[in-house]
Amino acid sequence: MKTWILFGFLTLSASAAVMAQEMPAQAQACVACHGKDGVSNNPEWPNLAGQHVGYLAAQLTAFRDGIRENPAMAPFVANLSDGDIVVISEYYAGLKRVTAANGDPALVSGGENLSAYCKACHGMQGVPATKDWPILAGQNARYLEKQLLAYKSGDRVNSHMAAAIARFGEPEFKALAAYYSQLAP
């Protein structure tokens, strides 16, 4: 009897794992840049695997509605319905997060010191408590750096981010990005 219970459990677990990895049609266009497994093939683009559903949905909606501008994303999100955005967000959020660890190792210690300014919102280990904010742990360093620069320049707008990074510049952004990229999610 125990053998049959174990067999049933393993079969259900394997089936759930296969179903969890099945990519919905709505996400097919995302694969070229963000990968089937949610791991980007370019360090300037974000890894989506394991990111919060709410954050992914908010960003896709912002891209679609022109609130967040990105010419590369525009053609892929222009015709997404709210339902499509939910499906895509849930798919990528359900994938296992990875650690990019692609920042400059010499900057990690400095980034760790600077991260004190980030922890109130993004958590002690780069994973915020709220589902509306991004997980930084393990993200591509170059992508993180570019986003910090975008907040600094005003290309991305968020009053909390603007205040948090007001006194920082490119050297601090590189260090923060190096630190967060190597944190295990």
Side-chain angles (χ1 to χ4, degrees), residues 10-11 14 24 34 55 66-67 75 84 107 111 117 123 155 171:
L10 291 175
T11 301
H34 300 288
Y55 179 73
I67 296 164
D84 293 337
L107 300 177
Y117 293 91
D155 287 342

Side-chain angles (χ1 to χ4, degrees), residues 105-131:
L107 300 177
V108 170
S109 179
E112 183 175 14
N113 291 335
L114 292 167
S115 72
Y117 293 91
C118 310
K119 291 180 178 181
C121 296
H122 293 284
M124 296 302 288
Q125 294 298 312
V127 180
T130 179
K131 306 294 185 201

Side-chain angles (χ1 to χ4, degrees), residues 33 89 122 158:
C33 298
S89 299
H122 293 284
N158 180 294

Side-chain angles (χ1 to χ4, degrees), residues 71-102:
M73 285 288 294
F76 297 105
V77 298
N79 296 317
L80 291 178
S81 69
D82 290 345
D84 293 337
I85 288 173
V86 169
V87 169
I88 293 167
S89 299
E90 288 177 346
Y91 171 72
Y92 279 110
L95 298 174
K96 183 178 167 97
R97 281 186 255 151
V98 298
T99 303
N102 55 5

